[in-house]
Amino acid sequence: MHEAVLTSDTHPLTRVNKGGQEGQVGERFAVNCNADTFLPAARETLTDEATDLLRHSLAPATERALRGDLTHFQDWGGSLPATPATVCAYVGDHAGYHAVATIQRRVASISKAHEMAGLPNPCRAEVVKATLRGLRRKHGTAQRQAKPLMRDDLLLVLDSLGETLRDQRDRALLLLGFAGGFRRSELVALERADIETVRQGLIVTIKRSKTDQEGAGRRIGIPHGRTRHCPVAAIEAWLSASAIDTGPLFRPITRHGHVATNPLTGDVVSVLLRERLATAGIDPEGYSGHSLRAGFATSAAQAGVSALKIRAMTGHATDAMLARYVREGELFTGNAAGALL
């Protein structure tokens, strides 16, 4: 029998793996956490073209997450291939110390690594599934969610902005992010060529997103606003003031008032939003870059917009993924207590 190992340093398990069973499989595979991608050792049998396509099979963010999760498992004392008992011990040791969603994601990464290396997958064992059910029952599954930036609060933030170059950029970013229900990653990835002006407003092309890793793309219509804060006018003002004709749409601005050539990062969007909320007199605690997207979906649900129409804007894959925003927006719609008290 041959051993399948992590090609980077591995450590013996401290709580399990005492019997020498782990790592015993009939064929040698290596999952290299430090390589360009997670590929089996049999990669030398593949053509260069096929290997290149395999490297592109994972989105960069997904690959980073896999690396981080496997490193965490390895630092704890795990190795590949793992046994169901090892995975259960890993879950048990971190239950109550890490969020349920985090532990579940790491187990999914362990499962993915085994599948990609052609190894028997311990995470498919019923004992592992039962352990995860126990984790959810004992520690709950509620996740901390970004507070939605509701329409009225957004208008307060916009009213507090001036007319400096940074103000114009932030106004355009906040209005477009809200009006399109965009993820922060989608916002910072936008380029000038992705914005098309038409009679009805703007057509924004999202070339790739979290739920569109293969780059099919989608086009979003942003109509002219009916209030004093129009997303179309804000974008046009920002483009005129910044003189951006190619490249990233939203960019850093230096302290000397110069527009950089690189795009903003997603983290900057979160910081920017919280700063603007504080300036408008709104407690920024709990808000993040996702608040624009959450606020759009929740505000639209409050206004009676159908889930189908909201999904057409946000790109949510299913109604179930959108449901938490719809429920939040409809808490006081047709409320039974409101009819009684």
Side-chain angles (χ1 to χ4, degrees):
M1 303 294 281
H2 299 286
E3 184 178 4
V5 298
L6 284 169
T7 56
S8 52
D9 292 339
T10 57
H11 305 285
L13 291 171
T14 55
R15 301 165 182 79
V16 293
N17 195 26
K18 300 294 187 183
Q21 296 299 313
E22 194 144 329
Q24 301 298 312
V25 295
E27 188 176 357
R28 182 177 178 84
F29 291 89
V31 178
N32 185 353
C33 291
N34 300 317
D36 290 338
T37 190
F38 301 94
L39 295 174
R43 59 191 292 178
E44 63 270 11
T45 65
L46 300 175
T47 64
D48 291 341
E49 291 79 6
T51 300
D52 180 63
L53 292 176
L54 281 171
R55 287 196 179 97
H56 287 82
S57 66
L58 295 177
T62 302
E63 186 170 349
R64 285 194 299 272
L66 273 169
R67 290 178 189 277
D69 291 341
L70 292 179
T71 297
H72 188 272
F73 179 61
Q74 182 182 358
D75 289 345
W76 170 80
S79 62
L80 292 172
T83 65
T86 300
V87 178
C88 290
Y90 177 70
V91 172
D93 281 356
H94 295 94
Y97 296 97
H98 295 280
V100 171
T102 298
I103 297 173
Q104 291 186 131
R105 190 200 68 227
R106 286 174 175 158
V107 171
S109 294
I110 296 168
S111 174
K112 181 77 169 178
H114 282 79
E115 296 285 354
M116 295 179 78
L119 298 169
N121 189 346
C123 303
R124 293 183 180 274
E126 182 57 34
V127 66
V128 175
K129 295 178 181 178
T131 301
L132 290 174
R133 287 196 297 271
L135 172 73
R136 292 189 290 268
R137 285 177 62 86
K138 182 175 180 179
H139 296 282
T141 58
Q143 292 180 253
R144 184 179 63 184
Q145 298 178 7
K147 289 180 66 174
L149 180 60
M150 303 300 287
R151 173 185 176 275
D152 290 344
D153 288 335
L154 172 65
L155 295 180
L156 288 176
V157 171
L158 296 172
D159 284 340
S160 70
L161 299 179
E163 294 299 329
T164 67
L165 190 61
R166 187 170 184 268
D167 288 331
Q168 293 185 71
R169 181 202 63 186
D170 292 358
R171 181 181 293 109
L173 185 148
L174 294 173
L175 275 168
L176 185 65
F178 183 90
F182 295 131
R183 299 176 178 89
R184 64 180 189 175
S185 59
E186 295 169 344
L187 270 178
V188 298
L190 286 174
E191 297 193 349
R192 174 63 184 89
D194 300 329
I195 307 296
E196 177 186 354
T197 302
V198 295
R199 180 176 57 81
Q200 299 95 329
L202 300 174
I203 297 177
V204 180
T205 300
I206 302 296
K207 295 191 288 286
R208 189 183 298 273
S209 67
K210 180 180 178 181
T211 55
D212 178 25
Q213 296 294 340
E214 296 183 2
R218 59 191 178 96
R219 286 156 61 86
I220 306 297
I222 306 295
H224 292 283
R226 296 179 300 170
T227 70
R228 61 189 179 279
H229 296 296
C230 170
V232 178
I235 290 293
E236 291 175 345
W238 163 240
L239 290 174
S240 175
S242 63
I244 293 174
D245 53 11
T246 60
L249 179 63
F250 296 116
R251 313 178 183 190
I253 298 172
T254 70
R255 60 182 179 179
H256 302 296
H258 299 302
V259 179
T261 58
N262 56 294
L264 290 176
T265 66
D267 289 339
V268 170
V269 174
S270 297
V271 172
L272 176 158
L273 175 60
R274 287 194 288 267
E275 287 179 350
R276 292 304 191 178
L277 283 164
T279 300
I282 300 172
D283 183 0
E285 183 66 29
Y287 289 94
S288 72
H290 192 72
S291 295
L292 292 169
R293 178 175 171 83
F296 167 80
T298 306
S299 296
Q302 279 187 350
V305 180
S306 70
L308 180 63
K309 290 291 186 181
I310 299 174
R311 277 181 56 196
M313 293 290 288
T314 62
H316 281 97
T318 65
D319 281 343
M321 297 175 69
L322 182 65
R324 66 179 183 269
Y325 303 121
V326 175
R327 286 196 299 269
E328 186 76 17
E330 293 179 344
L331 284 177
F332 296 95
T333 301
N335 188 288
L340 300 174
L341 300 174

